């Protein structure tokens, strides 16, 4: 990438992050008792969750395959957009895997004070990761998801 993508590609690259952002609330509801901020955020995402809930049960599987085969594997789309689509899909898978693995945790830990603090930390960490990915998409950058290296700061400089 030698120049900044056009504004519509940057805005369009943010849409795939709505799914992992909204799916966080299916697994983080136990954290409401510790911090009121999460309830305000749920109110903002509730219309999207209601819309997703009204869709047929097979829609999420069709969404995944159509996004992967129609966008990620298709070279006609810009690489920047394809990168952010696959990153949003991977973040969504991470949330689902964490929720599935935590179904095996004993209920005494899951619903107790330890579980509430765990879900609060997980929700804020995941919010930060998705917000950072959205910020990178809006700035026309590639997101370095683990945030462990300095590669996210070594982006191609653009003329402003």
């Amino acid at each position: 990438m030698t120049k900044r993508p056009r504004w519509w590609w940057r805005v369009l690259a943010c849409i795939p992050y709505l799914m992992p952002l909204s799916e966080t609330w299916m697994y983080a509801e136990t954290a409401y008792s510790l911090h009121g901020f999460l309830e305000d955020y749920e109110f903002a995402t509730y219309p999207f969750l209601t819309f997703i809930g009204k869709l047929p049960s097979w829609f999420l599987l069709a969404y995944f395959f159509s996004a992967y085969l129609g966008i990620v594997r298709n070279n006609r789309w810009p690489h920047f957009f394809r990168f952010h689509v696959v990153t949003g899909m991977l973040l969504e898978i991470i949330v689902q895997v964490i929720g599935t693995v935590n179904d095996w945790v004993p209920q005494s830990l899951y619903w107790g004070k330890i579980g509430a603090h765990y879900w609060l930390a997980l929700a804020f960490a995941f919010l930060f990761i998705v917000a950072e990915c959205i910020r990178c998409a809006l700035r026309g950058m590639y997101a370095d998801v683990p945030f462990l290296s300095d590669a996210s700061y070594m982006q191609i400089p653009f003329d402003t």
Side-chain angles (χ1 to χ4, degrees):
M1 193 166 76
T2 58
K3 62 180 182 166
R4 180 178 289 184
R6 300 231 184 217
W7 68 270
W8 61 81
W9 287 117
R10 290 184 277 159
V11 171
L12 195 60
C14 295
I15 292 174
Y17 295 116
L18 289 177
M19 289 297 285
L21 202 60
S22 64
E23 284 187 12
T24 303
W25 300 118
M26 287 188 258
Y27 301 110
E29 288 179 348
T30 58
Y32 288 165
S33 61
L34 297 176
H35 206 282
F37 166 74
L38 294 177
E39 287 188 59
D40 296 337
Y41 183 75
E42 183 192 31
F43 177 72
T45 61
Y46 189 73
F48 185 74
L49 287 174
T50 305
F51 175 73
I52 294 296
K54 290 182 180 181
L55 293 172
S57 61
W58 51 266
F59 176 77
L60 292 178
L61 188 62
Y63 154 74
F64 179 80
F65 279 113
S66 62
Y68 182 72
L69 295 175
I71 296 174
V72 175
R73 301 279 297 179
N74 192 345
N75 288 335
R76 287 181 282 180
W77 295 95
H79 185 268
F80 173 78
F81 179 62
R82 292 185 295 141
F83 173 82
H84 283 288
V85 168
V86 79
T87 303
M89 291 167 55
L90 289 174
L91 289 173
E92 179 182 351
I93 290 170
I94 289 170
V95 171
Q96 291 175 357
V97 167
I98 288 172
T100 302
V101 167
N102 283 318
D103 286 343
W104 299 332
V105 174
Q107 292 295 320
S108 60
L109 292 176
Y110 181 75
W111 290 109
K113 194 163 196 138
I114 295 171
H117 282 88
Y118 168 75
W119 283 114
L120 180 68
L122 188 71
F124 276 117
F126 201 75
L127 277 174
F128 170 74
I129 290 171
V130 175
E132 177 66 16
C133 290
I134 291 172
R135 182 192 69 84
C136 288
L138 288 175
R139 290 190 67 203
M141 300 174 11
Y142 290 97
D144 187 20
V145 175
F147 306 116
L148 298 176
S149 66
D150 290 330
S152 64
Y153 299 106
M154 298 183 335
Q155 298 292 329
I156 299 170
F158 298 112
D159 295 332
T160 56

